[in-house]
Amino acid sequence: QDIPRKFLTAILADLKRAQILRSQRGAIGGYRLARPATEISIADVMRAVYDIVEQAYETGQAVPVTGGQNMLS
């Protein structure tokens, strides 16, 4: 979806800090849910990423989404 790497990294860091995701380095590394999906609400995710999304909106940085449209334009 061509999401800027810096923006995506910030979102993942916020989700990790909120204990929604956990990360693992290495060949089999990546991100996984830190707890069962049934224990994570949409509100939890929104609270975790609010600051970075608000900052992108305030600075006018568009985040491309499928179909060539910009989420924040």
Side-chain angles (χ1 to χ4, degrees), residues 10-27:
I11 288 175
L12 292 172
D14 286 347
L15 291 170
K16 187 177 171 190
R17 194 174 304 110
Q19 298 179 343
I20 294 171
L21 293 180
R22 62 183 173 91
S23 63
Q24 180 177 339
R25 293 184 179 165

Side-chain angles (χ1 to χ4, degrees), residues 4-68:
R5 185 178 185 95
K6 183 178 178 182
F7 184 72
L8 182 58
T9 301
I11 288 175
L12 292 172
D14 286 347
L15 291 170
K16 187 177 171 190
R17 194 174 304 110
Q19 298 179 343
I20 294 171
L21 293 180
R22 62 183 173 91
S23 63
Q24 180 177 339
R25 293 184 179 165
I28 60 168
Y31 289 90
R32 292 179 174 77
L33 293 177
R35 55 187 193 260
T38 56
E39 295 179 14
I40 301 170
S41 70
I42 295 295
D44 292 335
V45 175
M46 291 175 68
R47 279 190 294 269
V49 300
Y50 178 82
D51 289 340
I52 190 67
V53 172
E54 180 182 44
Q55 179 183 16
Y57 181 77
E58 288 177 354
T59 60
Q61 297 174 355
V63 177
V65 294
T66 303

